[in-house]
Amino acid sequence: MVPEGLIASALPDATPQQAIYSLSMLLLVICTVIFVVVSALLAYGLVKYRERKEDALDEPPQVYGSSEIELAWTVIPILLVFIFFLATARTLNAVQNAQPSPGAVHATVVGHQWWWEIRYPELGITTANELHMPASDPAARTPLFIKLESADVAHSFWIPELGGKTDLIPGHPNSMWLEAQTPGTYLGNCAEFCGLQHANMLIRVIVHPPGEFEKWVEAQKRTATAAPSAELGRNLFLTTSCVNCHTVRGTRAAGTFGPDLTHLMSRQTLGSGVVPNTPENLRVWTRDPQKMKPACLMPDMQLTDSELDAIVAYLLTLD
Ligand code: CUA
């Protein structure tokens, strides 16, 4: 990764995955041609110079020391490697050093053991484990530029369908960008071993059709609504140590060690992809997260059944 600003290039015409795909195809075509030519020559040699009864004692022509042949098999591979090098360097530069275009959306992704904090500084939104972005229209592109940080150990951000991996290193911010033209959900996972629950550090990228991203942003910007029916659970939540780690905007809960819960129920999974976010799973999770995700940093809060009911009822109002 080149430090920011050292080599800046305009946004390339292709998305990162398209650029990587084109490079792979170029290399595949060149390698296929080499394979076919070498196989054909080999087959030709095998047939033409196979042992025959009539000339069994003849030696084939000896070409040791032929300058023409030595030059050919030295120069052609050097040229090919040079072409591979240039094509790869060009793609790397396009993918890694692109500068945000005017329509770009910006996000900061922070890796934690074992979940993803996702902030949109310009939009004032903080969420977790789900990266939302608008589908990009080739005529008015909306790529997502991401700053990658780590709160603890090294992690790696990887959405296979949307490009390569970029590490999240403590004390060394990295950056990358995503662009998807097809709306949908793209799954990814932490790609750097980061502890016991590394495999349960899943991330999903949700690419919204035109107009939908703005609706999602509006919904996420709202502060939590205080549903009167969940008053008991709300008070309990705000008076236990939940508030030390979690934020619910619009309340005094402002902890930052754990995921922001302001719109918890808008998310698809719990525990960074361990289970679907259903009321039943939320209850099991809240009773003792260590059962679903052993060694995760949220402890068993030792809630009684009635406390658990009240707090889960409150959490379910955080949509
Ligand atoms: Cu985070 Cu592996």
Side-chain angles (χ1 to χ4, degrees):
M1 187 72 213
V2 177
E4 232 171 336
L6 196 61
I7 305 174
S9 36
L11 195 68
D13 292 335
T15 65
Q17 61 273 28
Q18 286 165 347
I20 294 168
Y21 179 77
S22 307
L23 176 65
S24 324
M25 281 301 128
L26 175 70
L27 299 192
L28 183 66
V29 166
I30 294 177
C31 291
T32 306
V33 170
I34 295 172
F35 177 76
V36 169
V37 169
V38 171
S39 305
L41 287 174
L42 183 63
Y44 174 79
L46 281 173
V47 173
K48 185 164 167 64
Y49 299 107
R50 69 186 186 278
E51 192 182 54
R52 292 186 180 84
K53 281 225 171 66
E54 58 272 26
D55 53 18
L57 295 173
D58 287 358
E59 265 198 350
Q62 299 302 299
V63 291
Y64 177 80
S66 156
S67 310
E68 290 84 3
I69 293 178
E70 295 279 347
L71 268 177
W73 66 45
T74 309
V75 172
I76 294 174
I78 288 177
L79 284 179
L80 285 171
V81 169
F82 192 62
I83 292 172
F84 289 173
F85 172 78
L86 286 185
T88 307
R90 187 166 167 267
T91 304
L92 270 177
N93 183 53
V95 170
Q96 295 199 337
N97 302 321
Q99 295 301 297
S101 56
V105 182
H106 293 266
T108 301
V109 173
V110 186
H112 293 257
Q113 282 176 319
W114 291 281
W115 61 284
W116 306 88
E117 176 184 348
I118 294 160
R119 296 196 298 257
Y120 295 81
E122 292 164 352
L123 304 172
I125 295 171
T126 301
T127 182
N129 307 325
E130 279 178 16
L131 188 57
H132 291 251
M133 62 192 273
S136 189
D137 175 352
R141 294 168 69 188
T142 49
L144 179 73
F145 276 75
I146 311 173
K147 196 173 160 200
L148 298 163
E149 298 172 357
S150 170
D152 36 51
V153 299
H155 304 271
S156 186
F157 181 92
W158 189 33
I159 312 290
E161 282 177 278
L162 298 181
K165 302 167 182 172
T166 307
D167 285 359
L168 299 88
I169 309 290
H172 179 89
N174 270 341
S175 62
M176 70 185 298
W177 61 288
L178 304 178
E179 184 177 8
Q181 288 162 356
T182 314
T185 301
Y186 299 81
L187 299 179
N189 199 351
C190 179
E192 176 79 43
F193 181 71
C194 55
L196 201 61
Q197 290 292 344
H198 155 69
N200 282 327
M201 189 167 166
L202 282 74
I203 187 159
R204 41 189 66 208
V205 172
I206 292 148
V207 177
H208 292 273
E212 296 289 317
F213 178 69
E214 290 73 15
K215 282 186 201 158
W216 177 82
V217 169
E218 283 316 308
Q220 295 289 311
K221 276 183 171 172
R222 289 194 331 255
T223 53
T225 39
S229 60
E231 197 59 31
L232 183 67
R234 184 171 185 269
N235 290 336
L236 197 58
F237 180 87
L238 294 175
T239 49
T240 59
S241 46
C242 307
V243 298
N244 294 340
C245 292
H246 293 289
T247 291
V248 177
R249 266 183 299 122
T251 73
R252 64 178 199 84
T256 54
F257 291 115
D260 186 305
L261 300 180
T262 312
H263 296 288
L264 170 67
M265 296 315 292
S266 75
R267 302 203 280 262
Q268 297 173 359
T269 67
L270 290 173
S272 201
V274 171
V275 286
N277 186 3
T278 63
E280 301 73 47
N281 286 336
L282 182 62
R283 194 185 151 88
V284 177
W285 174 270
T286 311
R287 176 188 286 281
D288 183 6
Q290 299 300 322
K291 288 233 164 63
M292 274 184 173
K293 197 167 178 177
C296 78
L297 295 189
M298 179 166 162
D300 178 355
M301 299 299 293
Q302 317 274 350
L303 298 169
T304 65
D305 276 355
S306 60
E307 287 170 337
L308 184 65
D309 288 339
I311 285 186
V312 170
Y314 170 60
L315 293 177
L316 287 173
T317 68
L318 300 175
D319 52 359

